Amino acid sequence: NSLGKKERRENGMKKRTLFRSGAAFLMGLLMTAAVGCFTSFAYDSAWLKACSVENRNSISVTGTAAAGTLNEGETPDDGYYYLFELHPYETEIGSRTDYIAWSNKSDKLKFSLKYSGDPTDTMLYSRFVVALKTGSTYTPISNAIYVTNPGDVAKFREDYPEPMSKKGLLIQLDMLGDALNLGVKHTTVNIPYHQLVGGNLKYKYNGKTYNFNGDLIKDYDKMISAFSAKGIVVTAILLNGWNDSYPELHEAGLAKRNEAFYYGFNVSTEQGYETTRALLSFMAERYSGAHDDYGRVSNWIVGNEINNNLNWNYTGPMDIDSYTKLYSKVFRVAYTAIKSQSRNARVFFSTDYEWKRANSNLMYGAKDFIDRFNADIRDEGNIEWGLAYHPYPHPMTEPEFWDDDQTGAVNNTEDSPVVNFKNLNVLTDYFQKDIMRDAGGNVRHIILSEEGFTSKSATRGDVYDIQAAAFAYAYYLVDNNPYIDAFILNRQVDAVIEVEQSCSFGLWTVDMSSPNRVIAVMPKNIYNVFKYIDTNKSLKYTEFAKKIIGINKWSDVIPGFKLQE
């Protein structure tokens, strides 16, 4: 795409109006409508289909184009297609003229861009769009597309670990020995992004030096290395709380809100974007598994229950389409930062179990969000996102889920207000649809990263045996579902604040007189069920649950049950 060659040809080129067949013209109009171009006249349209790093030294952008027919009096374009690069914080081409590549007109598009191979290179994070030049103005005529294979530039390329079972637990760090005795194979670690910025640990990224909280990071080194050294698959949950000293961490103009526990990540401003990708790249490299002293994070969850804008991912009131597009940009940046450091790490977002219930312009149905997010990702470069789902009983203050259909909120259809363990097949059946699969046709990874069953009923008091039965039933459901990778129980020890709300999810009771320190008191009935659920003693320790649930054998409620009854 030599500019000299183009200019020589352009000087001798006769301006012309392009006419194609009626079918091609109609196709162009349909494509223009589909990609939401900014032009309303009958110029060409384009559809970018692929964008990938090739051999670590170039980025290839390919697609198709269709010519339109000019109306009388409209200015013809100059006969070329131009490719523009947009950073995540840029919303449009505007008056820019700095295209990065051009091509002759054809129904097949291909642009080849020089790429440094450096994971900090902004091109890896950018989206690309095709434009026409009419007069001195460049008008976008295509969808935007991002690089879909940032993992190809990563230095750490070890295979994803294969755990022995799906059994996971939110571990109390000072009780790691107990967790190992329980045979835990998965765990989660909450990482407060807003507490990591500022400090004495210097990190150079893309020519700039950042300061991070070295003391806190050392605590994570100790925790994550302790888990991964024992073969436990670690899932890190990236959370963004409020930080008065670093307003760039939040959307510009956003005010602190009492109901918000965490806030959305900010990539809508240049400073927010640069800080976000620097910190996530630092964390992904540090916990890539390349350093034994730091350990390995295999799964990264970007935010918590992000269909709940009010409490867990606050970015201000907005309609679901605007909210999803904003989060999609954030997820792209996080995905690229993580995968460009650790090729086989998996990146997820999480939702609660409110599958089709939306309460306001701050709380959205999980399915509605997932559908829009998936559409955005497919249109702009299909990456391997995964879902971290939270299928608690409904309500959470009662441990039984097998009778949740009686609440009227749980049924076996795609329109069920709530999807939890009672109708978990709704979730995995939905993800098997062609439209939901990744670019290779594979069902996307699903983990259950947070769920629990209370041992303290809101109406009946202590129900230790029912809690244990609920866990056994739920685990067997997951173990027999090939589309769920992990079941991470919340939690090893009760949390005082949760117990006060009849949400006693732990394997151990907690000292209620010590709200500022977690002190385990007594293992509950669920303890041995959890310990042996994935061993050859599993059926022995779950036999009691059948009577509670009201079944004669597990295969009565779990088709294809794997264990010999």
Side-chain angles (χ1 to χ4, degrees):
N1 293 354
S2 166
L3 291 182
K5 179 180 178 181
K6 173 198 172 291
E7 287 165 353
R8 288 194 299 272
R9 177 168 180 174
E10 186 177 40
N11 289 336
M13 182 187 69
K14 187 184 257 184
K15 300 274 186 162
R16 66 192 185 277
T17 301
L18 296 177
F19 290 93
R20 297 270 177 95
S21 69
F25 173 61
L26 178 59
M27 176 185 176
L29 290 179
L30 291 173
M31 291 173 67
T32 301
V35 303
C37 296
F38 304 125
T39 160
S40 60
F41 36 73
Y43 285 122
D44 297 13
S45 58
W47 180 257
L48 295 178
K49 295 181 176 180
C51 180
S52 59
V53 174
E54 306 288 344
N55 300 318
R56 295 181 65 96
N57 60 11
S58 69
I59 291 176
S60 174
V61 182
T62 60
T64 59
T69 302
L70 290 180
N71 297 318
E72 185 177 352
E74 289 182 335
T75 303
D77 62 75
D78 69 352
Y80 295 96
Y81 293 134
Y82 299 89
L83 191 71
F84 279 80
E85 175 187 4
L86 292 169
H87 299 300
Y89 53 86
E90 294 177 317
T91 58
E92 60 183 359
I93 294 175
S95 60
R96 288 172 50 186
T97 60
D98 56 338
Y99 57 88
I100 58 172
W102 64 274
S103 76
N104 293 314
K105 285 198 172 185
S106 170
D107 58 354
K108 293 183 179 180
L109 292 173
K110 184 170 184 180
F111 301 94
S112 184
L113 313 174
K114 290 183 179 180
Y115 168 62
S116 66
D118 188 338
T120 72
D121 192 324
T122 57
M123 288 184 70
L124 201 62
Y125 292 81
S126 296
R127 65 192 190 280
F128 302 93
V129 64
V130 177
L132 285 179
K133 183 181 181 183
T134 54
S136 60
T137 302
Y138 292 88
T139 303
I141 61 167
S142 78
N143 60 311
I145 197 165
Y146 292 82
V147 169
T148 57
N149 62 334
D152 282 10
V153 308
K155 292 182 180 178
F156 185 80
R157 308 169 77 86
E158 187 172 333
D159 290 342
Y160 186 87
E162 294 298 331
M164 298 296 292
S165 80
K166 300 180 182 183
K167 185 171 72 177
L169 182 66
L170 177 58
I171 297 172
Q172 185 68 28
L173 184 57
D174 60 1
M175 295 180 65
L176 178 58
D178 179 65
L180 296 176
N181 178 59
L182 287 164
V184 173
K185 306 300 191 299
H186 303 262
T187 194
T188 53
V189 175
N190 292 322
I191 297 183
Y193 171 90
H194 60 293
Q195 295 178 8
L196 295 179
V197 291
N200 56 2
L201 195 158
K202 296 187 181 301
Y203 175 65
K204 291 185 178 180
Y205 184 83
N206 196 32
K208 181 178 178 181
T209 299
Y210 294 85
N211 293 305
F212 297 144
N213 186 337
D215 293 334
L216 181 57
I217 289 167
K218 286 180 180 178
D219 290 340
Y220 282 107
D221 293 346
K222 177 181 177 182
M223 183 187 308
I224 293 169
S225 63
F227 294 152
S228 56
K230 299 299 184 181
I232 297 173
V233 175
V234 179
T235 297
I237 305 170
L238 299 166
L239 303 167
N240 187 27
W242 189 264
N243 189 323
D244 287 323
S245 300
Y246 294 89
E248 67 271 19
L249 301 184
H250 318 109
E251 285 291 317
L254 194 69
K256 188 175 183 181
R257 185 183 178 111
N258 291 335
E259 298 94 334
F261 305 120
Y262 295 103
Y263 297 78
F265 295 85
N266 174 30
V267 299
S268 300
T269 65
E270 183 174 5
Q271 188 178 9
Y273 156 71
E274 292 290 357
T275 302
T276 295
R277 73 187 187 106
L279 180 53
L280 295 184
S281 294
F282 165 75
M283 297 294 283
E285 192 282 328
R286 192 174 186 89
Y287 301 115
S288 64
H291 316 282
D292 290 340
D293 291 342
Y294 305 153
R296 181 179 183 183
V297 172
S298 298
N299 302 321
W300 299 85
I301 302 175
V302 185
N304 178 61
E305 296 187 353
I306 47 81
N307 60 310
N308 183 338
N309 180 3
L310 175 65
N311 303 122
W312 298 112
N313 196 64
Y314 184 64
T315 54
M318 63 185 73
D319 64 83
I320 187 171
D321 291 311
S322 300
Y323 178 78
T324 305
K325 288 186 181 299
L326 186 62
Y327 180 80
S328 296
K329 286 199 307 180
V330 168
F331 189 89
R332 286 273 185 189
V333 171
Y335 183 92
T336 301
I338 292 165
K339 297 284 281 187
S340 63
Q341 297 291 342
S342 182
R343 176 187 174 91
N344 294 311
R346 294 175 183 169
V347 189
F348 300 79
F349 65 85
S350 80
T351 71
D352 59 26
Y353 67 12
E354 301 282 2
W355 184 247
K356 282 289 290 182
R357 291 203 299 195
N359 297 326
S360 67
N361 60 354
L362 285 166
M363 301 179 74
Y364 320 104
K367 179 180 180 295
D368 297 331
F369 177 88
I370 290 167
D371 286 345
R372 287 164 173 79
F373 179 87
N374 183 53
D376 286 348
I377 295 299
R378 289 173 65 89
D379 286 350
E380 297 184 341
N382 203 352
I383 53 177
E384 296 176 353
W385 62 268
L387 177 67
Y389 198 69
H390 298 172
Y392 282 95
H394 178 70
M396 290 190 286
T397 54
E398 304 292 346
E400 298 98 330
F401 61 83
W402 49 91
D403 61 357
D404 281 357
D405 54 335
Q406 297 177 19
T407 66
V410 180
N411 60 60
N412 205 40
T413 74
E414 287 181 6
D415 294 322
S416 179
V418 168
V419 169
N420 65 3
F421 285 110
K422 172 63 178 177
N423 59 345
L424 194 60
N425 63 288
V426 170
L427 173 67
T428 53
D429 288 349
Y430 194 71
F431 268 61
Q432 292 174 62
K433 291 187 173 186
D434 289 344
I435 194 69
M436 295 303 300
R437 293 176 181 245
D438 67 19
N442 304 301
V443 177
R444 296 183 184 278
H445 291 287
I446 301 173
I447 60 175
L448 307 184
S449 57
E450 183 193 316
E451 55 279 335
F453 311 93
T454 185
S455 63
K456 180 181 180 181
S457 163
T459 58
R460 294 163 291 168
D462 292 338
V463 285
Y464 296 121
D465 56 343
I466 301 177
Q467 179 199 33
F471 167 74
Y473 188 1
Y475 187 85
Y476 284 154
L477 281 168
V478 171
D479 197 42
N480 285 271
N481 190 321
Y483 302 108
I484 298 176
D485 297 341
F487 177 116
I488 304 174
L489 188 71
N490 177 30
R491 57 186 57 239
Q492 188 173 6
V493 185
D494 282 342
V496 171
I497 190 171
E498 292 178 348
V499 174
E500 292 172 344
Q501 301 171 31
S502 293
C503 292
S504 303
F505 297 132
L507 305 181
W508 290 77
T509 62
V510 69
D511 183 351
M512 295 295 291
S513 67
S514 179
N516 297 321
R517 184 184 172 197
V518 177
I519 301 175
V521 176
M522 177 189 74
K524 306 178 191 176
N525 298 28
I526 191 177
Y527 186 91
N528 280 332
V529 178
F530 182 94
K531 179 176 181 178
Y532 294 108
I533 194 73
D534 59 344
T535 73
N536 58 8
K537 297 180 181 180
S538 184
L539 292 176
K540 172 185 175 182
Y541 281 90
T542 60
E543 179 65 27
F544 77 98
K546 296 176 183 177
K547 183 176 180 180
I548 293 174
I549 298 166
I551 59 175
N552 293 317
K553 51 186 179 179
W554 290 109
S555 56
D556 291 341
V557 288
I558 305 175
F561 185 68
K562 289 189 295 189
L563 297 179
Q564 185 66 42
E565 296 188 87

